[in-house]
Amino acid sequence: MTPPAPSGPVVLLGCGRLGSAIVEGWLKTGAVDPSDLIILTPSAKPVAEQARARGARINPPHDELEAARVLVLAVKPAMWRTALAPLIARLGPRTQLVSVMAGVSAADMSEVSARPVARVMPTTAVAQARGVAAVWSADPGALETARDLFSPMAEVVDLETEGQIDAATAVAGSAPAFIYAFVQALADAGQAEGLSMEAARRLARGALRSAGAGVETDEALEALVARIASPGGTTRAGLDAMSASGDLERAATAAVTAAVQRARAF
Ligand SMILES: NC(=O)c1ccc[n+]([C@@H]2O[C@H](COP(=O)([O-])OP(=O)(O)OC[C@H]3O[C@@H](n4cnc5c(N)ncnc54)[C@H](OP(=O)(O)O)[C@@H]3O)[C@@H](O)[C@H]2O)c1
């Protein structure tokens, strides 16, 4: 017989950039019913107020945490011990932990909390229900909980080992910023070739949207490239120049390596 799905509130600890995106995604997709949502936040946040208007509880008395099925840790890695310490004794024995923090090991969180932990590395596009989220846990129940919370608003990618999460942080969590930075560099280069700042900015953003639309087709990246780069054409000339310089690979490797090292240094 299949065990009943765990019930009880979902507690979100930290409602900053990522925490707010997660709440937005839950509200948008209904993955968490607002009446089942508790948000713990030191300062007022617009999205938490939206959730409150739909039935969520913001900073309720700690005895309301006892029934929680899961606590999602979304504070900065340097803050987690301080933020979690006053809550541990208030959590019921069945409350699982799901961490979206970079660089904090499941073993450390399990040791402090004496409960199973899943790690998730999402992008902030969970807010639009178009995120991607790497997930890992040694505990099948916690893994299932993490998947339930994120799959309605993100493509969930299972990792084989916890060690892979630092690379996933770079290639998913951080990568949208790397891509925005590249698109900004393209806009700057377009300006150097004579476009106005406004036209370069709008064209580069539009190109990013177009690239995103291509990805939505699920075709391989190589096929998407080939579709635009006809032999002897302008795109092929640009790609060949990038490839000959080796700068793109160098920049991508440098960004991912630095992000991985940063995650390992928390
Ligand atoms: N941003 C991303 O794209 C992204 C992607 C993947 C993973 N992450 C991970 O997500 C975590 C949060 O990152 P972020 O960018 O969202 O940081 P952030 O914007 O600084 O948010 C952290 C939040 O934690 C809150 N906080 C601090 N102490 C607290 C406490 N005792 N109880 C409850 N909340 C507390 C802060 O509240 P106040 O605002 O009131 O100070 C702040 O809003 C990090 O661990 C990061 O590794 C982020």
Side-chain angles (χ1 to χ4, degrees):
M1 217 172 77
T2 319
S7 59
V10 171
V11 181
L12 177 71
L13 179 65
C15 196
R17 280 164 291 202
L18 182 57
S20 290
I22 289 171
V23 174
E24 260 185 81
W26 285 340
L27 293 179
K28 186 180 174 70
T29 61
V32 174
D33 194 303
S35 64
D36 244 358
L37 178 60
I38 293 176
I39 301 174
L40 304 178
T41 173
S43 59
K45 303 289 179 197
V47 73
E49 292 311 313
Q50 286 168 28
R52 191 204 296 269
R54 291 170 58 180
R57 284 164 282 166
I58 316 297
N59 298 325
H62 282 177
D63 55 10
E64 292 191 29
L65 305 183
E66 186 167 0
R69 68 182 151 110
V70 55
L71 182 141
V72 178
L73 271 157
V75 295
K76 287 287 199 192
M79 282 299 303
W80 76 272
R81 287 177 191 274
T82 316
L84 188 60
L87 311 178
I88 296 285
R90 305 306 191 113
L91 300 174
R94 292 177 12 166
T95 311
Q96 297 166 331
L97 290 192
V98 170
S99 163
V100 295
M101 298 182 295
V104 182
S105 75
D108 281 356
M109 290 180 275
S110 273
E111 191 188 335
V112 165
S113 64
R115 61 194 67 237
V117 176
R119 291 187 63 188
V120 179
M121 193 43 62
T123 56
T124 50
V126 291
Q128 293 84 33
R130 297 180 75 184
V132 61
V135 298
W136 178 86
S137 180
D139 181 90
L143 185 64
E144 203 47 42
T145 299
R147 298 178 119 273
D148 284 352
L149 289 177
F150 283 88
S151 60
M153 57 187 183
E155 178 177 349
V156 168
V157 179
D158 287 301
L159 300 182
E160 290 148 12
T161 66
E162 185 176 13
Q164 294 173 335
I165 209 138
D166 297 330
T169 303
V171 176
S174 306
F178 302 156
I179 293 166
Y180 297 144
F182 182 65
V183 171
Q184 180 62 55
L186 288 177
D188 294 346
Q191 228 185 308
E193 288 290 346
L195 288 171
S196 69
M197 198 201 314
E198 171 66 3
R201 193 186 62 80
R202 287 180 56 202
L203 288 168
R205 285 178 71 97
L208 181 57
R209 259 196 307 277
S210 303
V215 166
E216 299 287 328
T217 66
D218 270 346
E219 268 191 278
L221 293 177
E222 293 82 356
L224 293 170
V225 168
R227 179 170 305 180
I228 306 170
S230 49
T234 56
T235 309
R236 176 49 59 200
L239 288 167
D240 287 349
M242 273 199 304
S243 162
S245 73
D247 289 343
L248 185 64
E249 287 74 14
R250 262 196 295 280
T253 304
V256 169
T257 306
V260 167
Q261 284 170 355
R262 183 69 191 101
R264 291 187 181 151
F266 279 126

